[in-house]
Amino acid sequence: MEIITEGHSKIIYAKESPDKILVYFKDTATAFHNIKRAKIVGKGLYVNQISAILFQYLTDAGIRNHFIKLADDQSMECLKTDVLPLRVIVRNFAAGSLSSRFGIKEETPLVEPIYEMTYKSEDLDNPFMNEHIAVALGFVTYNEMTTISDIAHKANTALSQVFESCDIRLIDFKLEFGRLPGGELIIADEISPDTCRLVDIKTGRHLDKDRFRHDMGDIIEAYNTVLIRLKQWKNLI
Ligand code: TMP
Ligand code: ASP
């Protein structure tokens, strides 16, 4: 199969149908702009399965995203989009770079969710951007920025609810957006413990990539916990 692009944690393959892609999740973990990296057997499977459940849930809730169906253990079939060169970060509790920038203790609740944007460029150290910069650089229109904010807000509400049903707190997460040939913006990339901070409400344990970032122990066992709880939640609804 023809490779369209390969990133740190994914390979995107072309499909026979030009409006579809195959997303393959690698068994690789990277952090701190690829300074820290490791092969973690099984990780691709968990990220794939967890993303699939969350994307399907968002679709059912009327929040459009690129997921079509699982293809196999480690890959999913998705709609082909033109992915915007920006990341949208949504935060419900302080953590990570917000905590370090503002000197706020990790997991401090925020009065309102924070929506941030960064420009996807490792060479430039993924600088901050805002809606005015995104419009001025020609990535989106102001109308599209409104759509992106609206989708990010709805996704936050929906995902926070699912995780809460699984006794997991959604601390923060990252979204990417892709444009369909007709112009519509939808959620792309992945939604998984690699791109969300997830904390077990009962034990306070991180069930996400912070385990890898900060050497907090096995990530497979944590990702497996997330997958099992999501599967149990799915069977209950
Ligand atoms: P941060 O605290 O490092 O800014 O990260 C906020 C959230 O966004 C966290 O859940 C991890 C996620 N994230 C990604 O998925 N990819 C990235 O490249 C970055 C910087 C953050
Ligand atoms: N995704 C980024 C990287 O792999 C940063 C992170 O998630 O810590 O470099």
Side-chain angles (χ1 to χ4, degrees), residues 33 87 89 91 95-98 101 116 126 172-174 194-197 213:
H33 309 322
R87 297 189 176 94
I89 299 196
R91 303 178 189 274
S97 68
L98 183 85
R101 264 181 282 138
E116 288 174 14
N126 301 302
D172 59 27
F173 63 100
K174 183 240 3 183
D194 272 8
T195 61
C196 303
R197 280 200 179 87
R213 292 188 188 98

Side-chain angles (χ1 to χ4, degrees), residues 48-59:
N48 186 42
Q49 312 282 325
I50 293 168
S51 272
I53 293 175
L54 295 174
F55 275 142
Q56 188 57 53
Y57 164 73
L58 291 182
T59 302

Side-chain angles (χ1 to χ4, degrees), residues 134-186:
V135 172
L137 297 183
F139 301 148
V140 283
T141 63
Y142 276 112
N143 273 344
E144 287 176 333
M145 258 332 300
T146 307
T147 305
I148 288 175
S149 301
D150 184 49
I151 296 174
H153 174 75
K154 286 186 176 140
N156 186 34
T157 305
L159 293 171
S160 295
Q161 275 171 9
V162 179
F163 283 120
E164 202 173 324
S165 309
C166 296
D167 274 332
I168 293 171
R169 181 166 292 137
L170 178 59
I171 302 284
D172 59 27
F173 63 100
K174 183 240 3 183
L175 290 178
E176 296 198 19
F177 287 83
R179 189 181 275 110
L180 287 168
E184 189 188 354
L185 289 174
I186 60 173

